[in-house]
Amino acid sequence: MDLLTPMLERRSIRRFKPEPLREGDLERILAAARRAPTDASAQLYSILRVTDPKLRRELAHLAGDQAHVAEAAEFFVPLADVHRLERLLAHRGQAMARWPRTGLHFALVDATLAGAHLAVAAEALGYGICWIGGLLNRPAEVARLLGLPRGVVPVSGLVVGVPDEKPPLRPRLPEALVLHENRYRAYSPTDLDAAYEAMAPASRRGDWLFVLERYFARGGTMEQRDPAYGFLAARQGFAADWPPEAAEALFVRGHDAGDLGEAIEQLLAGGWRGVLFGRGPFGESTVWLEKETAAERGEGKTPGEALGRAVEAALPFRE
């Protein structure tokens, strides 16, 4: 099997024939995904195959009404997953350590590698694929639809099917701009101009800046996605200073906070003039929320947990 050719000629396919995968090919590409590298043999990923047509349509809508999510032969969601590891440890009497940031990092890497193996195997068999980053537009709703437990977050979507188009190859940055040797090399103005020149065909306007502005500049897509993703990460247990229960306490009251700082910012914006952290007589964390005419106290093992308890007491539910 020649893997190099499909890798060098890969392109995103968004139009598919109404045909299923050939017999046995689904098993082949899933086997390839399971052979992906993983750190410390933990395999901190899962792959969710979506076969329910109604669910596919709902996910297509959440991803920005991308029809190919519903129409391709297969749709997968690679998942960063530490939930299974926690269950495995508990099954043998061991408690999971608290390592949310490292856990999210390695789980994202494992899930991405598994998804990439699946995609490359599918293309080697002649299928078309397309990664669906738009699935992260509303990640909490995606997690709810897919029934994801704590410790699991979606990485992306991945459609696979029989291609019904052959679009031109999209441009890529020159090797000299992405390959560094021994030390990271500073980019010169000439380098940056070369990048814009090489990537100009990525935009119908012939201006790569138009694409970069849309996604990555202030007010762009990524900035809009970030609060929702931060909240999902916190609610799923991946925020170091903001327990899932505290994130949920704010969420059901109409606020999305992905970390302790965002929670404090929203409380101050909501009229609470002070958030005072302290220690109780037994070493527990305490929080006072203060207004002109009111004060609420919360206790917990951590400052984030204590703040969550204070929020539950202080903030009414939003209808």
Side-chain angles (χ1 to χ4, degrees):
M1 180 185 298
D2 177 17
L3 285 177
L4 190 58
T5 297
M7 292 177 73
L8 292 175
E9 296 183 357
R10 76 148 307 277
R11 63 203 76 203
S12 294
I13 301 298
R14 294 177 174 84
R15 291 177 55 190
F16 295 88
K17 295 180 180 179
E19 300 175 13
L21 304 191
R22 296 181 298 272
E23 184 176 356
D25 281 354
L26 175 64
E27 291 75 16
R28 291 185 180 95
I29 63 177
L30 290 175
R34 290 173 44 244
R35 295 306 307 172
T38 179
D39 188 70
S41 78
Q43 298 155 83
L44 301 178
Y45 77 93
S46 291
I47 294 176
L48 198 154
R49 180 190 180 206
V50 184
T51 58
D52 182 331
K54 181 177 182 294
L55 182 55
R56 291 266 296 264
R57 290 193 296 271
E58 291 177 303
L59 293 171
H61 174 65
L62 290 176
D65 294 315
Q66 299 191 54
H68 42 292
V69 171
E71 295 170 355
E74 297 286 344
F75 183 62
F76 303 97
V77 183
L79 304 169
D81 183 355
V82 302
H83 171 76
R84 181 175 60 247
L85 175 62
E86 185 171 20
R87 292 294 310 277
L88 285 165
L89 287 169
H91 191 60
R92 289 291 186 265
Q94 296 294 318
M96 177 92 108
R98 179 158 172 76
W99 42 293
R101 289 167 295 205
T102 306
L104 182 59
H105 175 87
F106 282 101
L108 288 172
V109 171
D110 278 5
T112 301
L113 287 170
H117 270 231
L118 189 156
V120 170
E123 290 176 314
L125 292 171
Y127 297 109
I129 68 100
C130 186
W131 289 93
I132 308 296
L135 205 66
L136 275 297
N137 289 343
R138 292 151 70 179
E141 292 181 55
V142 170
R144 177 184 57 80
L145 281 174
L146 300 181
L148 304 186
R150 188 173 297 172
V152 181
V153 295
V155 172
S156 182
L158 178 62
V159 295
V160 177
V162 180
D164 196 23
E165 64 173 347
K166 190 174 182 180
L169 293 176
R170 300 292 297 274
R172 291 293 186 263
L173 289 170
E175 181 180 292
L177 290 178
V178 298
L179 179 65
H180 300 256
E181 186 171 348
N182 299 325
R183 297 289 187 275
Y184 196 97
R185 179 175 56 85
Y187 294 113
S188 69
T190 301
D191 291 330
L192 301 177
D193 286 338
Y196 277 105
E197 182 178 355
M199 292 300 298
S203 166
R204 293 178 182 176
R205 300 184 179 190
D207 183 2
W208 191 37
L209 179 60
F210 175 74
V211 179
L212 298 185
E213 283 182 319
R214 177 185 174 190
Y215 282 97
F216 306 108
R218 289 185 179 180
T221 299
M222 295 305 175
E223 185 176 76
Q224 295 169 23
R225 287 176 177 171
D226 202 64
Y229 188 82
F231 164 70
L232 174 70
R235 196 172 72 172
Q236 297 299 90
F238 291 108
D241 61 358
W242 193 224
E245 296 80 7
E248 187 69 22
L250 266 184
F251 175 73
V252 299
R253 290 161 173 82
H255 304 278
D256 292 353
D259 57 36
L260 187 58
E262 288 182 4
I264 294 172
E265 182 179 356
Q266 292 196 25
L267 289 169
L268 294 176
W272 295 87
R273 68 177 185 180
V275 183
L276 178 64
F277 291 88
R279 285 286 185 191
F282 303 104
E284 73 277 14
S285 293
T286 62
V287 168
W288 283 96
L289 297 180
E290 296 181 350
K291 275 187 176 180
E292 289 291 341
T293 59
E296 296 291 348
R297 185 175 187 271
E299 293 183 358
K301 295 179 181 178
T302 66
E305 185 176 312
L307 183 60
R309 301 277 172 77
V311 164
E312 290 176 348
L315 295 183
F317 286 90
R318 287 191 180 181
E319 297 296 335

